[in-house]
Amino acid sequence: FCEHPHVYTLGKSGHESNLLVNEQELKEKNATYYKINRGGDITYHGPGQVVGYPILDLDNFFTDIHKYLRYLEETVILTLAEYGIKAGRSAGETGVWIDAENPQKSRKICAMGVRASRWVTMHGFALNVNADLNYFGNIIPCGIVDKAVTSMDKELGQKVDEQEVKKKLERHFADLFNCTIV
């Protein structure tokens, strides 16, 4: 797990036009921008997010990147359920969503972008715990124009202990992957 300073990252399948600010505006917001080698489009990382970068040799589990993504999503879904947040998947869109079945209310709480080389995973997920959601206004998150972004603190109406969230994520990950976290 880690926490990044304000940064926007663009995945291999992304479009630079989804960054809505110029270089000067990035400086004013104390943010940076990088093109990186993960899947997905553009996203924001910053304080108040729990970012997880699991490094697994999928040869030891299963060689199916889509199954891997669904397990990562399930890790987050189970964690959010412990806080009384009902989350799930949105058909055809990677990540974790709230009210995914209702397009007018649907909002993303966790973005995912991964890469695997010889079945060894890289990159991962970014769960908005206490994130400043205003930073998402500078991009078209994940290239999706018609859905909002949310965070645990916004959904619950109070700040959330990020260390506690990490422990819960770790436990669910270990259970789903039937592994020990080191």
Side-chain angles (χ1 to χ4, degrees), residues 21-140:
V21 292
N22 62 36
E23 195 171 315
Q24 180 58 39
E25 291 168 308
L26 283 170
K27 285 181 185 177
E28 291 168 7
K29 295 174 186 316
N30 198 27
T32 54
Y33 166 71
Y34 296 98
K35 293 179 187 176
I36 58 175
N37 66 352
R38 63 159 168 77
D41 204 296
I42 196 165
T43 197
Y44 161 76
H45 296 304
Q49 262 185 353
V50 171
V51 179
Y53 293 127
I55 301 171
L56 298 177
D57 183 344
L58 291 179
D59 269 332
N60 296 317
F61 297 92
F62 45 78
T63 52
D64 183 336
I65 200 71
H66 296 288
K67 183 175 180 178
Y68 173 66
L69 285 164
R70 302 303 78 85
Y71 273 42
L72 287 182
E73 289 167 344
E74 191 65 19
T75 297
V76 175
I77 290 166
L78 292 170
T79 299
L80 293 170
E82 288 196 55
Y83 291 90
I85 298 173
K86 185 178 181 289
R89 296 173 181 85
S90 178
E93 298 172 310
T94 299
V96 178
W97 301 79
I98 297 174
D99 291 325
E101 67 287 346
N102 184 338
Q104 287 77 34
K105 290 184 173 182
S106 184
R107 54 213 181 275
K108 193 172 203 174
I109 195 164
C110 182
M112 296 188 178
V114 300
R115 179 170 190 252
S117 177
R118 297 183 182 164
W119 296 112
V120 175
T121 63
M122 293 170 260
H123 303 288
F125 64 89
L127 174 60
N128 297 326
V129 179
N130 300 306
D132 180 348
L133 299 177
N134 291 316
Y135 278 85
F136 285 98
N138 303 314
I139 60 173
I140 299 173

